[in-house]
Amino acid sequence: MRAIRRFTVRPVLPAALAPVLELVTNLRWSWDPATQDVFAAMDPDAWEAAAHDPVKLLGALSAERLDELAADPEFLASLAATHADLGEYLRGDRWYQKLPADGGERPRAIAYFSPEYGITSVLPQYSGGLGILAGDHLKTASDLGIPIVGVGLLYRHGYFRQSLSREGWQQETYPVLDPDGLPITPLREADGSHAQISLAVPGDQPLLARIWVAQVGRVPLLLLDSDVEANPLPLREVTDRLYGGTAEHRLRQELLLGVGGVRALRAWSRITGAPEPEVFHTNEGHAGFLGLERIRELSVAEGGPHLDFAAALEVSRAGTVFTTHTPVPAGIDRFPRELIAQYFGANSPVPGIDVEDVLALGAEDYDGGDPGVFNMAVMGFRLAQRANGVSELHGHVSRDMFNGLWSAFDADEVPIASITNGVHAPTWVAREVFELAARLGADVSSTGDGEVGDQVWSVVDKVPADELWATKRALRSRLVDDARGRLRRSWERRGAAPAELGWIDSALDPDVLTIGFARRVPSYKRLTLMLRDPERLKRILLHPDRPVQLVIAGKAHPADDGGKALIQEIVRFADDAAVRHRIVFLPNYDIAMAQPLYPGCDVWLNNPLRPYEACGTSGMKAALNGALNLSILDGWWDEWYDGDNGWAIPSADGIADEHARDDIEANALYDLIENEVAPRFYDTDASGVPVRWIEMVRHTLKSLGPKVLSTRMLRDYVERLYVPAAGSAHAINSSFAGARDLAAFKQRVRAGWNEVRIDHVESSGVSETPAVGGALDLRVFVSLGALAPDDVTVEVVHGRVKGEDHLRDIRVTPLALAESYEGGRHRFEGHLVLDRPGAFGYTVRVLPRHPGLVSVAELGLVTLA
């Protein structure tokens, strides 16, 4: 019999156990082993049965067991110590609070918007890498003391649970999540009512959403939930599931995330007294509408400063950071212009803002753009003064991909920076790895700087090879046990009888070279590249002396039948009785699966179609657990592969035939496994230790460890983006005169730029045989029309010449105003020392100049000689 409604009844704890509730509702437990040990001590069997979900654990404990714990002095002492440690963690000064005062204006609060967050498997509000990154971002901000407030949506069904049919086809189910059964709490008004926000949408009723809070260490995460009884059914379902539904459904979700998210932040500050955010960080374009709500607050909202649209835009842009994650146009949300016009028309969520101003922000009004769509990434760039990609290579790809927004500039000067992603070590590094370092005297606790200390990396060479090897075997053995359990449950769901499944008891082997491959399954990640030559793969898996085993996982988007077909292809291969003990596909890839998977692998495989992997952090997590990467030089691996910390799969860039390219790269993959990876793994000394393999593991830990940490990533965000953004916001927001001045400057320059030209360039001083140390004197005559010399910068751009007069290794030298003439004509002069040998070239350009601009390309205007 099926229940018509379900809800979670939380237990009433004895007074002595009151601290347990704070431990449960602060998600720091998900990366703090001591807190997990407290939960396990309450009932080890129940903790395992609850899949390490403390809310479920409490619901499973009897009143008698709770009373026993309340009378157990040993447990109470452990509980008190852990609770006190949490209190110190929450209140003590950390890295951010210790920053020197001369490091710039530190923002008092930073708002971080993301459509998904992967913090723990018991809060399933994520689909893949974007969400995992967002979760690591919040955890690391907490460890470093960075005052971030997260904003997201609470999806009633999460993403989906994946299972397989008997034929190996992906099947999706959407279990209902009860908020009361999750480690979150409602944000309440002073009268005890559940705080909620409202925004107008087409129709007779507004969209209402309640605000829930997930406490991620020191960082609050505000989650908006539209399942409110006062909403009509279509609006109740806005937060039904992640990345599902029609274009209109997605638009409603993104309006709620962006516009509603800002309103949730205002409610949070009003209710709790928390400072208002000074910097707004948009993690991908889904939350881009937050900029429109901030413009509304500044321009037309009651009690606001009532700036005009242009000035309000400058205020909003100054404090906004936009991170793009996609390396392919297909990964960007694009809506029909007519749909945007409908939603921002008569019943707009940001009333008072002209619909044409909204449409202009997302318009693809550049060569090659589609005039019929509204592009969320384009709007993200136009509403943020600072933007970045998520690896050095992705930065290059993004500058090329979005060059149309700054078409007058070479891609190298497009204002998109790069901050390479990192991963949260306390979440992803196996406890055994930290314990091994601790036994050798390293302090593996998170310090007041929120960092696993340098001691961890310094002891790598001190770990005896046999101990390091034994630790990896133990982790491999744990993975094998976990995989066998998942494999059995998968086959049972596929309809297999118990009598058919005896082979699972010997599937995989803790002494066999283990390669992991787990990620989302779009076509460019090439799940099935390893199957280009099935017979050769079989020989690799079944080699009599150097066998290999593969553990594979990944979800295809529910609407992606192509991705599902790839999964079915790999599953059918893995079902073959000849190899099924050496290759497994584990359904429902999530954080709970990943945590034993990364440490248990010896090699992490990544073979995307280059350069379509923006970053790819799974290999970072594996590396921190002593695995070696075997990857195409894409994403972060292109940046940090050094020839000794793993293997680079040669890529066949430039080959147009995708089948030929796949054949070439698959053969390169097979060659590496057969000739380098497996021989090194099985090359053991008299005690059974592969000494040369261990050397590579040590080098991986030392060379990659400090780089791939999310503490490095967050410090980069603070120093390169957050602090500068706060400085720009403070400078432009004082009485808003700066915003009005910058907006007027941009309007004046755009109106007059068609009159700007370089009339004549004179050079002198260069001898007939130029040599290093020689000089070049330049006199440049410029017509500025109605613009003044102070409105522009005149520069000589110089460097080495490549090919047909193309400049590279560019340097820029500004020229000084020497004299002004009638008719808006001016002469600029400069002196250039020739300090490099080789082919030399230069040109001259004129750019807009204003102290409020942070990039020479910000306006997209330049005049070249």
Side-chain angles (χ1 to χ4, degrees):
M1 187 176 297
R2 185 169 182 171
I4 63 170
R5 189 181 173 203
R6 58 178 290 178
F7 52 88
T8 301
V9 180
R10 292 192 174 184
V12 176
L13 298 180
L17 300 184
V20 169
L21 284 180
E22 189 173 353
L23 296 181
V24 167
T25 55
N26 192 307
L27 293 173
R28 188 203 181 208
W29 63 259
S30 68
W31 72 91
D32 183 56
T35 310
Q36 295 166 19
D37 288 345
V38 168
F39 296 146
M42 297 180 79
D43 189 319
D45 293 337
W47 177 239
E48 291 302 318
H52 296 187
D53 181 340
V55 176
K56 286 184 180 178
L57 170 70
L58 293 186
L61 297 180
S62 66
E64 291 78 13
R65 177 55 182 162
L66 292 173
D67 287 340
E68 288 176 5
L69 291 168
D72 182 342
E74 185 177 347
F75 176 78
L76 292 178
S78 175
L79 174 61
T82 305
H83 185 253
D85 179 70
L86 175 62
E88 172 57 29
Y89 174 87
L90 297 177
R91 291 186 292 271
D93 285 350
R94 305 187 76 78
W95 171 80
Y96 190 80
Q97 289 71 38
K98 299 173 185 176
L99 284 176
D102 60 358
E105 299 185 63
R106 297 198 303 270
R108 293 185 303 155
I110 301 154
Y112 180 85
F113 286 67
S114 178
E116 52 174 304
Y117 289 91
I119 298 165
T120 165
S121 60
V122 307
L123 188 61
Q125 301 292 306
Y126 60 94
S127 72
L130 181 70
I132 299 298
L133 173 77
D136 281 8
H137 201 101
L138 298 194
K139 294 174 188 176
T140 310
S142 174
D143 289 344
L144 293 174
I146 302 168
I148 280 180
V149 182
V151 180
L153 302 180
L154 181 67
Y155 303 99
R156 188 51 55 96
H157 299 284
Y159 191 40
F160 68 88
R161 288 184 184 169
Q162 178 196 48
S163 60
L164 301 173
S165 71
R166 184 77 190 207
E167 292 72 33
W169 191 256
Q170 173 179 293
Q171 297 177 318
E172 302 94 23
T173 55
Y174 293 88
V176 176
L177 301 174
D178 175 14
D180 291 323
L182 300 174
I184 59 178
T185 56
L187 178 65
R188 296 199 180 277
E189 299 282 1
D191 62 3
S193 62
H194 198 151
Q196 66 179 27
I197 58 92
S198 169
L199 65 153
V201 292
D204 298 328
Q205 294 179 261
L207 170 59
L208 305 175
R210 298 178 296 181
I211 305 170
W212 298 86
V213 182
Q215 194 64 40
V216 187
R218 299 164 70 115
V219 172
L221 169 58
L222 311 182
L223 297 170
L224 292 167
D225 169 22
S226 71
D227 191 16
V228 177
E229 289 189 7
N231 278 332
L233 184 60
L235 298 185
R236 290 189 71 167
E237 293 179 344
V238 167
T239 56
D240 59 349
R241 61 185 62 172
L242 181 59
Y243 301 144
T246 63
E248 184 173 13
H249 186 73
R250 289 285 297 276
L251 177 59
R252 286 173 172 170
Q253 287 187 335
E254 295 184 10
L255 285 169
L256 180 58
L257 176 60
V259 177
V262 174
R263 294 177 187 174
L265 284 167
R266 304 311 183 203
W268 169 257
S269 293
R270 172 177 54 80
I271 292 169
T272 67
E276 297 279 4
E278 299 169 58
V279 173
F280 290 74
H281 184 176
T282 308
N283 190 37
E284 243 329 327
H286 310 80
F289 291 123
L290 73 87
L292 294 178
E293 172 62 5
R294 295 186 62 214
I295 291 170
R296 185 197 69 83
E297 292 178 329
L298 293 160
S299 59
V300 297
E302 183 178 350
H306 290 189
L307 304 175
D308 62 25
F309 179 87
L313 172 61
E314 296 306 331
V315 173
S316 178
R317 289 186 76 249
T320 301
V321 172
F322 174 59
T323 298
T324 176
H325 290 263
T326 180
V328 290
I332 297 170
D333 279 341
R334 301 160 88 216
F335 296 107
R337 278 176 61 89
E338 294 79 8
L339 184 62
I340 298 295
Q342 175 190 350
Y343 268 78
F344 287 92
N347 205 21
S348 172
V350 284
I353 296 182
D354 189 275
V355 65
E356 293 302 322
D357 287 331
V358 176
L359 290 170
L361 289 169
E364 294 186 359
D365 51 358
Y366 44 80
D367 289 345
D370 184 344
V373 303
F374 183 94
N375 187 310
M376 293 296 290
V378 166
M379 179 179 66
F381 285 115
R382 286 175 172 153
L383 285 173
Q385 197 172 41
R386 289 169 174 82
N388 70 287
V390 291
S391 69
E392 284 192 3
L393 180 58
H394 181 237
H396 289 296
V397 170
S398 298
R399 288 187 285 276
D400 284 333
M401 185 171 158
F402 295 105
N403 203 164
L405 290 171
W406 299 273
S407 57
F409 291 83
D410 290 343
D412 287 347
E413 288 192 295
V414 167
I416 303 175
S418 297
I419 292 181
T420 303
N421 287 341
V423 299
H424 185 244
T427 295
W428 301 111
V429 176
R431 182 186 291 200
E432 292 88 341
V433 174
F434 282 135
E435 289 173 348
L436 181 60
R439 286 201 301 272
L440 293 164
D443 180 6
V444 299
S445 62
S446 178
T447 68
D449 289 341
E451 178 72 275
V452 174
D454 290 338
Q455 296 176 59
V456 173
W457 315 118
S458 66
V459 302
V460 168
D461 287 331
K462 301 176 184 176
V463 180
D466 58 343
E467 284 194 47
L468 187 53
W469 186 238
T471 300
K472 282 301 296 183
R473 189 194 184 281
L475 295 172
R476 202 182 305 119
S477 181
R478 190 173 68 188
L479 169 60
V480 167
D481 290 342
D482 184 75
R484 287 175 181 171
R486 292 176 185 276
L487 195 60
R488 182 176 298 280
R489 293 190 292 273
S490 175
W491 273 98
E492 288 170 350
R493 287 201 64 165
R494 294 174 70 185
E500 299 178 76
L501 302 180
W503 62 273
I504 291 178
D505 293 335
S506 57
L508 305 180
D509 185 326
D511 292 309
V512 166
L513 169 61
T514 303
I515 300 177
F517 182 101
R519 51 191 40 87
R520 291 184 304 110
V521 191
S523 59
Y524 76 87
K525 291 183 183 283
R526 298 193 295 183
L527 169 68
T528 57
L529 184 70
M530 64 185 76
L531 297 183
R532 295 300 291 181
D533 186 342
E535 293 306 312
R536 188 172 180 186
L537 178 59
K538 283 185 179 180
R539 292 196 299 272
I540 291 171
L541 296 175
L542 301 175
H543 193 285
D545 301 316
R546 298 191 298 271
V548 174
Q549 58 194 15
L550 280 160
V551 182
I552 303 168
K555 292 180 177 180
H557 188 280
D560 182 8
D561 283 347
K564 292 179 185 180
L566 297 176
I567 290 174
Q568 185 178 49
E569 186 180 351
I570 205 83
V571 169
R572 285 178 170 172
F573 180 88
D575 285 350
D576 185 342
V579 295
R580 65 189 181 187
H581 63 301
R582 288 284 182 259
I583 178 171
V584 297
F585 181 89
L586 304 179
N588 205 41
Y589 180 44
D590 65 357
I591 291 174
M593 181 193 295
Q595 286 178 318
L597 177 57
Y598 297 132
C601 289
D602 302 294
V603 172
W604 195 258
L605 174 62
N606 190 26
N607 47 227
L609 193 65
R610 190 179 190 272
Y612 295 142
E613 183 79 270
C615 185
T617 58
S618 59
M620 297 180 176
K621 297 162 192 156
L624 285 175
N625 285 283
L628 305 178
N629 275 267
L630 172 61
S631 176
I632 293 283
L633 286 173
D634 202 4
W636 74 275
W637 191 235
D638 179 77
E639 193 172 330
W640 288 330
Y641 168 67
D642 67 6
D644 295 314
N645 52 13
W647 294 271
I649 304 169
S651 56
D653 296 356
I655 294 182
D657 184 334
E658 63 182 52
H659 299 292
R661 178 172 179 167
D662 285 353
D663 285 339
I664 292 169
E665 295 183 2
N667 282 325
L669 170 61
Y670 298 141
D671 287 345
L672 280 170
I673 295 173
E674 289 177 325
N675 301 326
E676 296 191 38
V677 180
R680 179 163 292 208
F681 182 87
Y682 288 105
D683 179 16
T684 59
D685 64 11
S687 61
V689 175
V691 176
R692 292 196 307 142
W693 184 274
I694 294 299
E695 288 173 353
M696 288 186 73
V697 170
R698 292 189 202 277
H699 180 68
T700 288
L701 290 169
K702 291 187 295 181
S703 67
L704 294 179
K707 295 177 182 177
V708 303
L709 294 178
S710 52
T711 45
R712 186 270 315 150
M713 175 183 74
L714 262 291
R715 286 175 172 138
D716 285 348
Y717 272 105
V718 167
E719 294 163 359
R720 295 174 54 192
L721 294 176
Y722 294 160
V723 168
S728 293
H730 293 167
I732 206 170
N733 289 0
S734 55
S735 78
F736 299 110
R740 293 187 177 96
D741 177 69
L742 180 57
F745 167 81
K746 287 186 175 182
Q747 183 178 12
R748 184 175 74 254
V749 168
R750 287 185 176 118
W753 198 256
N754 62 341
E755 297 182 49
V756 175
R757 65 180 184 273
I758 297 173
D759 298 317
H760 183 57
V761 177
E762 295 179 356
S763 63
S764 61
V766 179
S767 67
E768 292 183 3
T769 56
V772 171
L776 176 68
D777 294 310
L778 288 170
R779 304 174 76 207
V780 180
F781 296 86
V782 175
S783 292
L784 298 180
L787 299 182
D790 286 346
D791 291 331
V792 301
T793 293
V794 180
E795 299 175 337
V796 55
V797 182
H798 52 98
R800 302 183 188 278
V801 176
K802 178 182 178 183
E804 296 183 3
D805 296 333
H806 184 75
L807 291 175
R808 63 184 180 89
D809 299 332
I810 285 175
R811 297 179 185 177
V812 174
T813 301
L815 304 179
L817 177 66
E819 190 173 3
S820 295
Y821 311 101
E822 293 181 356
R825 296 183 69 246
H826 309 272
R827 187 179 85 248
F828 291 79
E829 295 182 351
H831 181 78
L832 186 64
V833 176
L834 305 178
D835 60 356
R836 291 185 291 180
F840 175 86
Y842 70 90
T843 188
V844 175
R845 68 183 182 183
V846 184
L847 298 163
R849 181 177 65 179
H850 188 280
L853 301 178
V854 300
S855 161
V856 296
E858 185 168 325
L859 271 74
L861 300 174
V862 62
T863 295
L864 297 171

